[in-house]
Amino acid sequence: MAPLLELENVTARYGPVQALHGVSLTVDEGQIAAVLGANGAGKTTTLRTVSGTVRRDGDLRFDGKPLANVGPDGSARLGIAHVPEGRGTFAELTVWENLRLGAYTRRGSAKDDFARVQTYFPWLEERRAQQAGTLSGGEQQMLALARAFMQRPRLLLLDEPSLGLAPLLVTEIFRIIKELNENEGLTVVVVEQNAHIALQLAQTAFVLEVGRVALSGPSAELQQHESIRRSYLGY
Amino acid sequence: MTAFAQRLGSMRKNAVGTGASVPVVLFLIAAAAFLVIGSLVSNIFAQQTVAGLAQGAIFGSLALALVLIYRATEVINFAQGEMAMATTYIAYQLTLWGLSYWLAFFLTLPIAFLLGMAVQVVLIRPVQQSIIAVVIITVGMFILIDGLVTWIWGADLKFMKAPFGNTVYHAGGVAFSRQDIGVLAVSVFSVILLWLLFQFTKVGLAMRAAALRPAAASLVGVRVNWMLAMGWGLASVLGAVAGLMTEPTQFLQPTMMQAILLYAFAAAVLGGLESPAGAVVGGLSLGVFLNLIGQYIGFATPELRLPIAFAVLLLVLLVKPTGLFGRKQVRRV
Amino acid sequence: MKFIPAAVAAIVVAILPFFLSGYHEGLAVYVAIYFVAILGLNILTGYTGQISIGHGGFMAIGGYTTALLSHYEHWNLILTLPASLGITFLVGILVGIPALRLSGVYLALATFGFAVSVPQLPLKFSKFLGGSNGIHADHSVTHLWLYVVSWSCAGIAFVLAWLLLRGRTGRAFRAVRDSEVAAASSGVALPIYKTLAFGVSGAFAGVAGSVLVLATNGFAQPSEFGVLVSLQILIGAAVAGLGSLWGVVVGGVFIGLLPSVSASVPLIGSSHGQDVVFGLIVILVMLLLPNGVAGLLRRFEPLVKTAIKPDR
C-alpha cells in the first residue's frame, strides 16, 4: 500500500523549547500505526505537527504531496481528523451539534454522514439533545471518535484515547477503531501510553524518545523482544 | 416534527443562548405581572412603563451588539456606540443622495457588516492576543470615529425622516407612539433572527464553536479568524440598527450614542454578558426600572439616572455576575 | 549606577522652565499631572492585576476636595494636596472592597461606572458642589508655581512608587498579579493588599486631580472629569506598559502632549481634527507596541546587555 503519511526529519518547538529533534516515520494507507514513548517524548507534538496545530520544519507529505503549514482547519479540509488530548469536544453544545461540527467540512446535510456513524455508535441517536459535557468519560471519548468520523477523513489522529477510561471501555473503543480501520479503510495513527493494548491494535509502531524515533517496526516484533519491551515499553 | 421538538427541548438544556434558570424566569414573570397591574391602576405608571420599554429597546439593541462581540472574543468594544452612530450617518448620507429611508436602511446593513469585518481584520486581529491592547484600540476608535464624523458632517443636529411615522395612539389614557412600537418590534425581531442564525445554520454553529473553543473549532475545519470577523460584522449590523432606531428620538449628532453606550453596558451586564436574549431583556428592564424610579422616588432626579444604572450594574456583578440569563461558561482553549 | 537616569531626569526637569515659554510650561504641567495619575493606575493594574477604568473618578474627588477646601475654608492650596491624598486614599479603599469580588472585564465595567457616576454628583448636589458651573478655588497661581508643584508631586510620586514596589509590599503586589492562588497560599493576605493597592492608586489619581484643578484656573467642574479622562489615563497606562516606571514617564508625556500635538496637525484643522489624529495615533501605537513602552524596553534589555557584555 502506498504511504499516506510521511514525516522526514520533522522538528518542532514551543517557544524556546525544542520538542521534536527530527522525527521520521511513514504510515501506509489503511494501516494502524502506534506512536509510543514516555511522557514528554514528543508523541503529542508529533500529532500536532501533522494536523498543523504546531508549526514545524522538515518534510511532511500527505498522500504523496508535501503538506505546507496550513494550520488545523486547513488539514481538516484535506482529510486529516485529529482527536486531541482532552478530546476537543464542545462540552457546552449538544451531542448532535458536536456531530454537525464534525461534518463541517463536508458538503450536503450532516444527516447522511450521521447514518454511517450510527452503525458504529448506535446509542448516539437517543442522546442527540444531551449536552456533551454531561456525558460520561467513555461516552465523551466515543463522541469524539464519532465526530472525527463524521468528517469522513482519510487519516485519523488519536491522542491517548484510553486516558482515564476503565479497561472495559478501552477495549470497546479500540474495537471500534479497528472496525473503522477495517471496514472504512481509515488510516489511523494512535498515540498511547498504554503500549500493550496499542501494540495489539496497530500493525506498526514507533517509539519516541526525547523528540526522536528511537525504535520502529512491525508491532508483532516489538511485542516479542523482551529487552525492547522492558526498556522502551515498560512491561 | 419530532426532530424540531427535540431541538426545542435541547434549548432548555443548552448552555448557549437562553440560559435562563427557573427562578429567573419566575422573577421575570412576576415583574411583568407587576408592570401590567401597575399600568392598569395608574395612567402615569403605564406611561412611564411604555416609555421605559421604548428606551430600553434601544439600550437592548446596542447591548446586543456588545454581547455578540464579548461572546466571541471576551472584549468590551468601547467603540460600539460610535460605530453605530457612524453607520447611521452613512444611512443619512444615502438619503441625502436620494434613496428612500427604508432603502437606505437596508443598504446600510451590509455596509455596516463589511465595515465591522474590516475593523476586526485590520485593527483587532493583529493584537488579539493582548486584551488590553484590543480594548485600547477600541477606545482609540471611539475617539477617531467621533472626530471623523464631526469632520465630515459637522456637529450640528441633523434629521432623518421618521421610519414609523409620527402617529401617536391613545389607549386608556396612555400614549403609544408608532415609533416606540416599531423600535420594540425591531429589537425583538433582531433577537429572533439572531437566535435562528445561531441555532439552525451551519455558519451560526461554526461561530458559536469558534467563540467557545477556538482550538477545537479549528480542528474540525472552522476558519476561526473569519468567524470572529463575521461576529464583528454582525455586531456592527446590530449597532447600525440600534443607531437608526435611536435617531428619531435623539436626532443625528456625533454624541447621540454616547450616553446610550453607557446604559447598554449596564443592560448587557444585567442580562448576562454572553446572552443575546439577556441583552434585550436587560435593556427593557433597565429602561422601565429607570423610568419608574425616576417617577416615584423624588431623590432620583435625571442627574442620577446614569449613577443608578451603574448601581444596578454593580449590584448585579456583586450578587449574580452572570446576570439574568448568563451561565458560568468555562472558557477553554 | 541605577540612580543616574533618575538624577539626569531630575536635573532636566529642574532647568527646563528656564527654556520654556508659558504655554509650554503649561503643557509640562499636564504631563506631570498625567504622569502621577498613570503611575497610580499602573500600580493597580501592573502590579496587582486589577483593572480600573475609573481613575477619572478619583481625580474628580481629589480635584473637588482642593476646590472645596479652598473655596469654603480658605485652606492654603498646598495643604489641600495631602488632604486630597488622604481622602482619595480612603475612597480608594472603599472602592477596593467590592472590587475584591470582581475581576477582569467585570471589574473594568464596575470602575467605569464609578468614573461615570462621580461627575454626576456635583450636578445633583449643585447647591453645595456648584452644579455644572463648578467650584472655584479662592485664588489663582502662576505657571511657574504650577510647574514646581506639579513636578514636585511627580517626583515624590515616583520615589514613593519606587520605594513601595521594591519592598515587601511590592513583592506582594506582584505575587497577586501573577497568581492569586499562589499568593494566598504563601501567606499574602490578599484582601489587604488588593484594597491597599486601590487606596494607593486612588490617592495618586486624587493628587493628580487636585493639581489639574489648580492648573485650570482653580475651577473644579464636572465637565473636566468626564469619561474621556478615565480613558486617557487608561490609554496612558497601556502605552506605558506594565512593569516599568520609566514607561509611565513616556505614558505621561504621550497623554500630556498628544492633544496639543494633534491640534497642530495642519491638514484637518481645529478640534475635530485633533480627535482624528489622537485616535489614529493611539491605534497605531497599540498596533506597533501592544505591550507598551515597557514591552519595548524589555525587548531591548537583552540587546543592551549584549552590547555592554558581548557573548562569547
Side-chain angles (χ1 to χ4, degrees):
Chain A
M1 285 241 87
L4 185 64
L5 180 67
E6 295 160 272
L7 270 74
E8 212 175 288
N9 230 348
V10 168
T11 59
R13 56 201 326 195
Y14 295 108
V17 178
Q18 189 84 17
L20 298 183
H21 292 96
V23 169
S24 303
L25 55 89
T26 305
V27 181
D28 290 333
E29 182 143 26
Q31 267 191 331
I32 302 181
V35 175
L36 310 169
N39 264 330
K43 313 190 293 291
T44 298
T45 312
T46 306
L47 286 189
R48 285 188 182 151
T49 59
V50 177
S51 70
T53 312
V54 149
R55 284 192 80 86
R56 45 126 182 116
D57 294 304
D59 281 320
L60 211 153
R61 278 186 295 282
F62 182 64
D63 200 16
K65 294 184 282 270
L67 189 61
N69 267 306
V70 286
D73 51 293
S75 61
R77 278 190 292 278
L78 286 172
I80 300 176
H82 182 179
V83 179
E85 286 182 297
R87 301 174 194 130
T89 340
F90 297 92
E92 304 86 353
L93 302 180
T94 63
V95 165
W96 176 234
E97 285 171 330
N98 271 273
L99 293 171
R100 270 172 71 200
L101 280 169
Y104 184 75
T105 50
R106 312 258 314 148
R107 294 185 197 289
S109 164
K111 294 208 178 72
D112 310 318
D113 298 310
F114 183 59
R116 277 204 96 98
V117 168
Q118 250 193 306
T119 58
Y120 296 95
F121 307 94
W123 56 274
L124 281 177
E125 169 65 39
E126 57 187 37
R127 313 284 211 99
R128 281 167 75 129
Q130 187 173 343
Q131 196 184 338
T134 58
L135 294 173
S136 73
E139 288 168 339
Q140 286 200 38
Q141 185 61 62
M142 288 203 243
L143 174 61
L145 206 52
R147 198 201 68 222
F149 187 53
M150 287 287 282
Q151 210 177 312
R152 306 302 294 281
R154 294 188 63 192
L155 174 64
L156 178 61
L157 307 171
L158 294 172
D159 202 334
E160 303 220 30
S162 73
L163 196 62
L165 297 185
L168 229 67
L169 277 169
V170 173
T171 318
E172 175 70 9
I173 283 183
F174 276 59
R175 180 188 65 76
I176 296 177
I177 296 173
K178 193 143 197 110
E179 265 181 37
L180 286 171
N181 168 259
E182 283 169 359
N183 301 349
E184 312 283 340
L186 191 53
T187 311
V188 181
V189 176
V190 55
V191 157
E192 259 302 336
Q193 283 262 39
N194 186 340
H196 176 64
I197 194 165
L199 285 174
Q200 287 179 333
L201 173 75
Q203 289 102 26
T204 173
F206 304 89
V207 181
L208 290 186
E209 204 174 66
V210 196
R212 272 192 196 84
V213 177
L215 194 63
S216 66
S219 46
E221 261 179 45
L222 276 105
Q223 271 181 311
Q224 263 151 25
H225 283 238
E226 189 167 310
S227 58
I228 291 174
R229 270 169 44 205
R230 289 258 181 76
S231 346
Y232 289 101
L233 305 173
Y235 70 100
Chain B
M1 191 59 208
T2 35
F4 189 78
Q6 224 175 20
R7 213 109 59 122
L8 277 181
S10 82
M11 295 303 117
R12 254 177 276 124
K13 295 177 219 150
N14 200 327
V16 183
T18 52
S21 60
V22 173
V24 170
V25 171
L26 286 178
F27 170 73
L28 287 174
I29 293 177
F34 171 70
L35 289 177
V36 167
I37 296 174
S39 303
L40 291 173
V41 165
S42 153
N43 273 349
I44 295 179
F45 189 98
Q47 188 70 68
Q48 290 289 14
T49 304
V50 167
L53 284 174
Q55 267 204 317
I58 294 180
F59 299 158
S61 320
L62 195 60
L64 202 51
L66 288 172
V67 163
L68 250 157
I69 288 188
Y70 183 74
R71 225 158 75 129
T73 50
E74 285 201 342
V75 159
I76 290 289
N77 180 9
F78 275 92
Q80 199 73 63
E82 301 307 276
M83 285 168 72
M85 177 266 292
T87 43
T88 311
Y89 267 89
I90 290 176
Y92 169 73
Q93 188 61 52
L94 289 175
T95 61
L96 284 187
W97 283 335
L99 272 71
S100 74
Y101 179 90
W102 286 108
L103 204 53
F105 182 99
F106 284 108
L107 192 52
T108 303
L109 298 186
I111 295 176
F113 185 80
L114 290 172
L115 283 175
M117 280 188 78
V119 164
Q120 202 277 342
V121 172
V122 174
L123 297 180
I124 307 294
R125 201 183 285 188
V127 290
Q128 60 188 3
Q129 68 278 6
S130 162
I131 290 190
I132 258 285
V134 174
V135 168
I136 299 296
I137 286 186
T138 64
V139 171
M141 277 170 53
F142 180 108
I143 299 171
L144 171 66
I145 295 175
D146 194 76
L148 262 179
V149 168
T150 316
W151 180 39
I152 298 177
W153 283 281
D156 49 312
L157 282 178
K158 306 230 189 306
F159 307 93
M160 289 175 76
K161 204 188 73 167
F164 298 108
N166 289 314
T167 20
V168 178
Y169 304 115
H170 291 269
V174 181
F176 300 84
S177 78
R178 261 186 100 183
Q179 176 62 29
D180 292 342
I181 299 177
V183 170
L184 254 165
V186 167
S187 303
V188 173
F189 193 60
S190 312
V191 175
I192 294 179
L193 274 183
L194 211 64
W195 180 76
L196 289 173
L197 174 78
F198 281 130
Q199 291 301 135
F200 294 105
T201 65
K202 195 161 157 175
V203 156
L205 181 61
M207 285 173 73
R208 282 164 58 201
L212 284 169
R213 287 164 192 258
S218 214
L219 282 176
V220 295
V222 172
R223 287 182 172 94
V224 169
N225 273 336
W226 283 115
M227 293 301 123
L228 295 183
M230 283 177 65
W232 274 71
L234 210 54
S236 180
V237 170
L238 289 168
V241 170
L244 285 161
M245 292 296 102
T246 307
E247 186 271 332
T249 40
Q250 298 288 110
F251 311 121
L252 201 53
Q253 49 181 326
T255 53
M256 79 188 218
M257 298 303 283
Q258 284 179 11
I260 295 181
L261 178 71
L262 302 178
Y263 291 113
F265 281 150
V269 169
L270 176 60
L273 270 177
E274 309 222 358
S275 164
V280 174
V281 170
L284 294 172
S285 314
L286 188 66
V288 171
F289 179 74
L290 285 175
N291 270 25
L292 290 178
I293 292 266
Q295 175 71 44
Y296 291 110
I297 298 187
F299 182 69
T301 51
E303 302 91 13
L304 286 185
R305 269 175 77 93
L306 263 179
I308 292 177
F310 276 99
V312 168
L313 180 149
L314 187 65
L315 204 64
V316 170
L317 288 180
L318 290 178
V319 171
K320 187 179 192 285
T322 48
L324 288 172
F325 288 176
R327 194 177 286 215
K328 232 172 170 21
Q329 301 272 24
V330 180
R331 262 309 152 77
R332 301 235 224 103
V333 182
Chain C
M1 176 74 216
K2 259 198 296 189
F3 296 109
I4 291 186
V8 168
I11 295 175
V12 167
V13 166
I15 60 174
L16 213 49
F18 298 104
F19 298 96
L20 294 178
S21 67
Y23 170 69
H24 287 111
E25 248 181 12
L27 280 185
V29 170
Y30 275 93
V31 171
I33 291 172
Y34 280 107
F35 170 78
V36 175
I38 293 169
L39 188 57
L41 182 57
N42 208 282
I43 290 174
L44 186 65
T45 307
Y47 291 93
T48 62
Q50 300 180 83
I51 302 175
S52 161
I53 316 184
H55 275 45
F58 291 115
M59 284 183 79
I61 294 176
Y64 265 86
T65 303
T66 291
L68 289 169
L69 284 175
S70 168
H71 183 95
Y72 287 116
E73 305 290 325
H74 310 289
W75 276 39
N76 179 322
L77 289 177
I78 301 277
L79 287 181
T80 63
L81 295 178
S84 158
L85 184 97
I87 290 182
T88 45
F89 178 78
L90 288 172
V91 175
I93 302 267
L94 284 177
V95 169
I97 293 176
L100 288 173
R101 300 217 355 152
L102 305 171
S103 65
V105 70
Y106 296 126
L107 181 60
L109 283 176
T111 53
F112 191 60
F114 174 72
V116 162
S117 304
V118 167
Q120 297 290 108
L121 296 177
L123 294 174
K124 167 74 184 161
F125 303 107
S126 50
K127 260 211 315 238
F128 181 57
L129 296 177
S132 55
N133 290 325
I135 292 278
H136 190 186
D138 69 2
H139 53 274
S140 51
V141 293
T142 63
H143 276 297
L144 187 62
W145 187 94
L146 273 174
Y147 183 92
V148 171
V149 168
S150 62
W151 280 99
S152 306
C153 287
I156 296 172
F158 189 94
V159 170
L160 273 179
W162 185 74
L163 287 173
L164 191 68
L165 293 166
R166 69 195 294 259
R168 200 158 70 155
T169 322
R171 283 200 293 278
F173 281 177
R174 262 180 290 262
V176 172
R177 177 194 66 188
D178 292 336
S179 168
E180 288 205 2
V181 173
S185 49
S186 38
V188 176
L190 276 182
I192 295 182
Y193 279 107
K194 286 175 87 166
T195 41
L196 192 64
F198 249 105
V200 170
S201 180
F204 275 52
V207 170
S210 290
V211 181
L212 178 68
V213 161
L214 295 175
T216 51
N217 288 320
F219 264 105
Q221 283 176 316
S223 54
E224 278 182 306
F225 297 107
V227 164
L228 194 59
V229 173
S230 291
L231 293 179
Q232 283 177 323
I233 298 174
L234 183 68
I235 294 174
V239 167
L242 299 180
S244 161
L245 286 181
W246 288 106
V248 177
V249 174
V250 176
V253 169
F254 185 78
I255 295 294
L257 293 186
L258 195 52
S260 46
V261 166
S262 316
S264 56
V265 168
L267 52 94
I268 310 181
S270 79
S271 55
H272 347 296
Q274 175 184 346
D275 284 339
V276 172
V277 176
F278 185 66
L280 264 177
I281 294 184
V282 167
I283 291 175
L284 280 172
V285 168
M286 273 298 120
L287 284 175
L288 295 172
L289 292 178
N291 289 314
V293 170
L296 191 67
L297 291 176
R298 269 195 294 273
R299 261 192 277 162
F300 279 122
E301 226 182 80
L303 291 178
V304 170
K305 287 210 178 109
T306 42
I308 299 174
K309 283 190 299 184
D311 272 343
R312 268 178 283 129

